[in-house]
Amino acid sequence: MSAEPSDPVSAPVPSSENQNIAATAAPTAEAQPKEESELNLPSSAVDGLIQKPFPKPLNTAHIPAPEPLTEQQQGLYNQVLEEVSKWTTIPTTSKKNAPTAPITDDERMWLTRECLIRYLRAVKWDDKKKKDKQKVDEAVARLQNTLTWRREYGLEKLTSDYIAIENETGKQIILGYDVNGRPCHYLCPSKQNTEKSDRQIQHLVFMLERVIDLMVPDQETLALVVDFNQASSDQNASPTQAYQTLQILQNHYPERLGRALVINMPYWLSWFFKAISRWIDPVTKEKMKFNEDLRQHVPADHLMKAMGGDVEFQYDHSTYWPALIKLAESRRNGYYERWIEGGKRIGEYENYLRGGPQPSLSQTQGEKS
């Protein structure tokens, strides 16, 4: 399917009325697509034994309304939007003078308003020591580098069938939402079941994409929980794997980490963190919490008993894995359908794409014309 270049437009800041709408209005049971309702997903700990992911946060989750852009930020955003809207081709690899191929619909859809803003935040767009042109150029370059990386890394080839073996023991779990409506992504090194390989990193990338699928309107970050209970040093990632992972996360998933909670830390882990700390961005370090009570961050009704919560969770691969894959697929399908209905615009609102109350970019501009 060929993509028609979109005209550069200034995406207006959502109205204050829309900004104040609670983003906890995740899909309700009544609004669930048929394929989701058929999954019979749990809502909280009261549902007894839990073996499938929760489809939305609790009603008590507090998702802060997006901050309105300042005049300067809006100006920077407009410039980045104008530049990326001109793209008709993207390099296929990161090599110098690499061949290019036409930009796809999926790639244009990835270039949402919030995506551009995340990359602008990542290049420190409020840094007064930087000139505006430098900020715009850096953000545009990083956006193109990520699209090229997504092609070169082969995200479309990371299918659930290919990745499934890595998750047979439940060493990575997406379960529940934190107090701010962030989907919780658990890493459990003690359940490592495969030899160190590239597929282990691909597994993390695959699961991160699924976490993003399950984000609700106005929440664009995740809560990462790493549980080292009963983990041995040989089950932990190697420094090389840690470096590769950090490079992927910091370069291609900027501004996605809301909080990182590390629990049950063994003595040897401090040495590991010391070894990799030079690679961790200072902003990321500030989001890391060690050995804190998880109930401060995740409501008991969405927190496993093994972590101090009330959820009786038991990982069964044959039950959990297909439910997660079908739920994520349903969310992606809805996202894509809304993007088409909105006119397939670069710079579309993620709130609208995720089924929130924000009108589409085309509707917003129509209201203002």
Side-chain angles (χ1 to χ4, degrees), residues 26-136:
T28 62
E30 292 76 21
Q32 279 186 328
K34 181 181 178 182
E35 57 269 27
E36 285 189 31
S37 61
E38 291 176 346
L39 290 175
N40 194 27
L41 299 172
S43 59
S44 71
V46 300
D47 289 337
L49 180 64
I50 304 299
Q51 294 186 303
K52 297 179 181 179
F54 294 114
K56 63 177 182 176
L58 295 172
N59 291 333
T60 54
H62 173 67
I63 305 176
E67 289 285 337
L69 301 186
T70 65
E71 184 177 347
Q72 181 191 26
Q73 291 172 341
Q74 184 68 41
L76 292 171
Y77 170 79
N78 291 344
Q79 293 179 61
V80 171
L81 176 63
E82 182 176 5
E83 289 302 313
V84 301
S85 295
K86 296 175 184 176
W87 291 346
T88 56
T89 61
I90 298 291
T92 55
T93 73
S94 57
K95 294 180 180 178
K96 188 176 181 179
N97 299 320
T100 63
I103 188 170
T104 67
D105 266 7
D106 282 347
E107 291 166 337
R108 285 161 45 83
M109 181 174 65
W110 181 81
L111 293 165
T112 62
R113 174 182 181 272
E114 287 69 30
C115 176
L116 305 192
I117 291 174
R118 283 192 291 272
Y119 277 73
L120 276 164
R121 290 201 304 262
V123 300
K124 309 296 189 290
W125 67 341
D126 290 328
D127 188 345
K128 296 181 180 179
K129 296 180 181 179
K130 281 186 177 182
K131 294 183 178 179
D132 285 357
K133 185 178 186 304
Q134 181 184 359
K135 299 172 187 176
V136 170

Side-chain angles (χ1 to χ4, degrees), residues 213-226:
D213 288 337
L214 301 192
M215 288 178 180
V216 297
D218 285 341
Q219 183 50 270
E220 56 184 334
T221 63
L222 64 97
L224 181 66
V225 183
V226 187

